[in-house]
Amino acid sequence: MEFTAAQIAAFLGGTVEGNPEAKVCNVAKIEEGAPGMLSFLANPKYNHYLYETKSSIVLINNDFQLQGEVSATLVRVPDAYAAFAKLLELYAQFTQSKCGISSLAFVSQDAVIGEDTYIGEFSYIGNRAKIGKRVKIYPQVYIGDDAVIGDDTTIYAGVKLYDRTVVGKSCIIHSGCVCGADGFGFAPQEDGSYKKIPQVGNVEIEDNVEIGANTTIDRATMGSTRIRHGVKLDNLIQIAHNVEIGANTGAAAQTGISGSTKVGERCIIAGQVGMVGHITIADGTIIGAQAGVSNSVKESGRTLFGTPAINLGEFKRMFVYMKQLEKLNKRVDELEKKLKEQQ
């Protein structure tokens, strides 16, 4: 589908500089532009590409001052990055407008399926499952008995949602994600073996949550493992049983959160962070990459680094001292040598 510069400007509330009838049918980075492509410029590091790009249309900020001739048609908007994101969302809606139930999918007779839903090949919808309106379920998805999926949610190929998993509205769950597998619960026995503790809870995911590929969220031993609204989880994350993640918190890849830990709202968790179980993380906490959090964070808004995780200021001071260790060691050696000579 093609769009003209005039149509794009009208949709974004922008203004056109150049040919209003210039057409695009796809998007590209400004440095990789080609005829028929739409690009954007928001980062000053890429300013020089504006004068070189082959893209037909480029979004730029209203206050951008041209320093030379530009072959592309320009659409000026208040915020080029936000405007481009808005266009990508529209583009995704066109390219992912699937609907209907494949004859190769299995849908239980007592499952409830909402209007305008897509269910792809070899997907399985269990007994008494409830699927909302305009849901997209791609091929080879497993949705267990009594699971609930809210309106406008997208579940990509290969996702597994165990029995009684609840997913809210407008969520995105990427390929390979598993929600509702057993939590890691085992009781040590006198003979050194382990006895499995039955996990009888479920997973509850609220609205507007996005979960990355191959992320796993274990069901609760009792009650629910809860992912609150607006949470964004990257790929390859492990969320253990009975964990609760507060609203609008984001976590990067390879983070692991142990059982029964409660993470507050609006937290930022960088990659490869590990948290022990049964602790509480206050709202607005920022945790740097590869940090190991072994104690509760009670004061909101703190920034933590290191293992064990400590306040950013303390971490910086310790790092300065660490950089001086070689010099300090030499000084100690020299002092010890002088002391021996004086004896």
Side-chain angles (χ1 to χ4, degrees):
M1 182 173 292
E2 290 185 330
F3 296 92
T4 66
Q7 289 172 325
I8 292 170
F11 178 72
L12 297 175
T15 57
V16 177
E17 290 184 15
N19 179 14
E21 298 304 315
K23 295 181 179 180
V24 292
C25 60
N26 211 330
V27 296
K29 294 187 290 186
I30 192 167
E31 66 269 30
E32 298 176 358
M37 297 291 183
L38 170 71
S39 299
F40 79 102
L41 176 63
N43 190 328
K45 292 182 180 179
Y46 295 91
N47 284 358
H48 63 282
Y49 286 116
L50 179 62
Y51 310 102
E52 305 168 6
T53 187
K54 299 296 191 298
S55 289
S56 298
I57 301 174
V58 179
L59 303 179
I60 62 172
N61 292 334
N62 284 332
D63 59 0
F64 185 87
Q65 300 294 321
L66 294 178
Q67 302 298 320
E69 293 185 3
V70 177
S71 61
T73 293
L74 304 178
V75 175
R76 288 187 179 269
V77 290
D79 185 335
Y81 187 80
F84 192 71
K86 188 176 181 180
L87 286 177
L88 287 180
E89 184 177 354
L90 179 65
Y91 177 77
Q93 290 176 0
F94 278 111
T95 57
Q96 299 177 10
S97 57
K98 294 178 177 289
C99 193
I101 300 174
S102 170
S103 61
L104 298 177
F106 176 84
V107 180
S108 298
Q109 291 184 352
D110 55 358
V112 178
I113 309 298
E115 300 174 358
D116 300 322
T117 287
Y118 164 68
I119 302 177
E121 287 74 12
F122 309 111
S123 286
Y124 174 95
I125 311 298
N127 297 323
R128 300 172 301 280
K130 296 180 181 180
I131 311 299
K133 300 176 182 178
R134 299 174 299 280
V135 172
K136 292 181 175 58
I137 299 172
Y138 282 79
Q140 297 183 329
V141 168
Y142 173 88
I143 296 177
D145 298 345
D146 300 297
V148 178
I149 312 297
D151 297 345
D152 300 300
T153 284
T154 298
I155 302 175
Y156 284 103
V159 169
K160 313 300 179 188
L161 304 181
Y162 281 47
D163 296 352
R164 295 178 290 110
T165 296
V166 177
V167 180
K169 299 178 181 179
S170 302
C171 292
I172 300 173
I173 303 179
H174 289 279
S175 293
C177 179
V178 178
C179 295
D182 278 1
F184 192 67
F186 298 91
Q189 304 298 297
E190 291 183 359
D191 63 359
S193 64
Y194 292 91
K195 182 176 178 60
K196 184 176 178 64
I197 300 172
Q199 309 288 292
V200 298
N202 74 333
V203 172
E204 293 185 1
I205 299 168
E206 295 185 354
D207 300 342
N208 298 303
V209 170
E210 183 159 353
I211 302 173
N214 294 321
T215 284
T216 56
I217 304 174
D218 293 344
R219 69 171 175 260
T221 305
M222 295 179 288
S224 299
T225 301
R226 291 187 172 91
I227 311 298
R228 299 298 188 183
H229 69 268
V231 167
K232 310 302 178 188
L233 301 179
D234 199 359
N235 306 327
L236 297 169
I237 287 176
Q238 159 64 11
I239 306 297
H241 57 87
N242 290 96
V243 166
E244 181 174 327
I245 300 183
N248 299 311
T249 283
Q254 299 183 352
T255 287
I257 303 178
S258 299
S260 298
T261 284
K262 311 298 181 188
V263 180
E265 299 182 358
R266 304 179 308 280
C267 294
I268 298 173
I269 304 169
Q272 296 186 334
V273 166
M275 298 185 197
V276 303
H278 303 274
I279 62 173
T280 300
I281 307 299
D283 295 346
T285 299
I286 299 173
I287 306 175
Q290 297 187 326
V293 186
S294 56
N295 294 296
S296 290
V297 180
K298 299 179 181 179
E299 182 182 347
S300 62
R302 291 176 61 188
T303 299
L304 307 178
F305 275 80
T307 301
I310 56 177
N311 285 334
L312 177 59
E314 186 178 354
F315 179 85
K316 287 180 176 180
R317 288 192 296 272
M318 288 181 59
F319 188 74
V320 170
Y321 297 147
M322 288 172 61
K323 290 178 69 176
Q324 300 297 320
L325 283 177
E326 185 175 359
K327 291 181 180 179
L328 289 171
N329 186 59
K330 288 181 178 179
R331 289 180 62 186
V332 170
D333 287 344
E334 290 173 359
L335 288 171
E336 287 180 343
K337 185 178 179 181
K338 290 180 179 179
L339 284 172
K340 287 180 180 180
E341 291 174 351
Q342 293 174 1
Q343 289 176 355

